[in-house]
Structures are given as structure tokens and as C-alpha cells.
Amino acid sequence: MLPERLDLAIELYRNYAFSAMVVSGGAVTYQKSEAGIMRDYLLDRGIPETAILLEDRSRNTVHNVVNCRIIMQWHGRHSCLLVSNSFRIRRMKYIMKQLNMPAYFCGKRNWRSILGRQWRLTFQEIRAYKLPLPWVKQARRTGMEEMMGNS
């Protein structure tokens, strides 16, 4: 489902003249970071390297949010449009609200994905709703000024 959300990000980037994309995700499942995989996908589809901001330390969703906020600040960005899978957006909104981070959200539903595996992932997402709470508390303690995850 990663290509589906990256294709949506490319479409939005091209149609609405966004200045940059932050790709986020550390090496959790694979040796290469999720952000690195996403960067390569975007480069292969003609997105300029200068438009891609890489966050490759995060180990979970709260890390993604905190680290992306820091990277955005480094680059003088103050707002964002978060592109994710539609089943994950509700939890992302919750995390962003807990961390007082305003954002807009966009997710695309594809019938093939919904009928295939998205419905199972939606139920997993419901179970995962409580998982970020300790990470949100940690982010608040650090003041969200330090990167989270692997160095």
C-alpha cells in the first residue's frame, strides 16, 4: 500500500505546487529505512531530490510526527499536509492533537485495497490506538525539540 500513498503524494505535489515532501520512517522491518525506500520511489518518478526531506530515525508513529516537525522547522516550514492510508488517519489526527501540532490530512481509498487487505489493517489500527500513549508522554517530556528513534 506504500506505492498507493506515494502516488497520491506525487499527485498532490504536482497539482498544488507544494514546496517539499517529508518522507518518514526508520529501518524497522528491513535493513533500508522506510524513508529511504520512499525517497527512491519518488526520485524514480521524477520528484527532484531537493524537494525530498528525509526522516529516517523514527521507530513508530509518534517518532515520525516529532521528527518531521523538527525537520520542517529546520527548513522553515510551518504547516503540512499529511498523506497516509485512509485507515491510519484517525490515529494520526489523535497523535497530532495530543502533541498540539496542526496539520491537514489526506488519504485515498482504493476499492482494490479495501477489498484486499485494508479492512484487516483497519481492525489492527483500532487495536493499535492505545500504543502511542507512552510515546506521546515521552515526546511531551522532551518538549519535542529532540529527535526520537535511532541515531
Side-chain angles (χ1 to χ4, degrees), residues 51-70:
I52 303 169
L53 307 177
L54 189 73
E55 184 289 301
D56 60 359
R57 291 179 56 168
S58 57
R59 306 284 295 164
N60 62 48
T61 307
V62 175
H63 291 178
N64 291 126
V65 171
V66 171
N67 295 352
C68 286
R69 177 181 178 204
I70 292 168

Side-chain angles (χ1 to χ4, degrees), residues 7-18:
D7 290 341
L8 175 58
I10 291 168
E11 180 184 331
L12 293 167
Y13 173 82
R14 289 182 175 150
N15 291 337
Y16 298 99
F18 286 103

Side-chain angles (χ1 to χ4, degrees), residues 27-64:
V28 178
T29 306
Y30 302 102
Q31 199 168 25
K32 188 170 187 177
S33 72
E34 186 174 344
I37 293 167
M38 289 189 276
R39 179 197 56 218
D40 293 348
Y41 186 93
L42 295 172
L43 291 172
D44 288 346
R45 279 141 188 88
I47 301 299
E49 191 166 5
T50 55
I52 303 169
L53 307 177
L54 189 73
E55 184 289 301
D56 60 359
R57 291 179 56 168
S58 57
R59 306 284 295 164
N60 62 48
T61 307
V62 175
H63 291 178
N64 291 126

Side-chain angles (χ1 to χ4, degrees), residues 134-149:
W135 295 107
V136 167
K137 288 178 185 176
Q138 180 183 353
R140 286 181 180 160
R141 278 195 307 271
T142 65
M144 293 182 296
E145 295 172 7
E146 298 174 24
M147 288 285 227
M148 298 179 80

Side-chain angles (χ1 to χ4, degrees), residues 3-123:
E4 189 175 283
R5 69 180 194 231
L6 289 171
D7 290 341
L8 175 58
I10 291 168
E11 180 184 331
L12 293 167
Y13 173 82
R14 289 182 175 150
N15 291 337
Y16 298 99
F18 286 103
S19 59
M21 286 189 219
V22 181
V23 292
S24 180
V28 178
T29 306
Y30 302 102
Q31 199 168 25
K32 188 170 187 177
S33 72
E34 186 174 344
I37 293 167
M38 289 189 276
R39 179 197 56 218
D40 293 348
Y41 186 93
L42 295 172
L43 291 172
D44 288 346
R45 279 141 188 88
I47 301 299
E49 191 166 5
T50 55
I52 303 169
L53 307 177
L54 189 73
E55 184 289 301
D56 60 359
R57 291 179 56 168
S58 57
R59 306 284 295 164
N60 62 48
T61 307
V62 175
H63 291 178
N64 291 126
V65 171
V66 171
N67 295 352
C68 286
R69 177 181 178 204
I70 292 168
I71 289 171
M72 287 173 52
Q73 288 173 342
W74 290 346
H75 292 274
R77 306 298 197 286
H78 304 288
S79 64
C80 70
L81 172 66
L82 192 138
V83 177
S84 189
N85 302 97
S86 58
F87 62 86
R88 190 168 285 139
I89 286 181
R90 182 170 289 157
R91 185 165 56 104
M92 293 299 301
K93 284 181 179 181
Y94 172 78
I95 291 168
M96 301 286 274
K97 183 177 180 181
Q98 294 301 307
L99 298 177
N100 296 316
M101 294 177 58
Y104 298 96
F105 301 87
C106 185
K108 189 173 185 178
R109 288 194 174 161
N110 174 317
W111 281 107
R112 189 171 33 141
S113 295
I114 292 170
L115 295 174
R117 53 192 148 141
Q118 187 168 331
W119 66 272
R120 287 188 304 259
L121 294 172
T122 299
F123 287 111

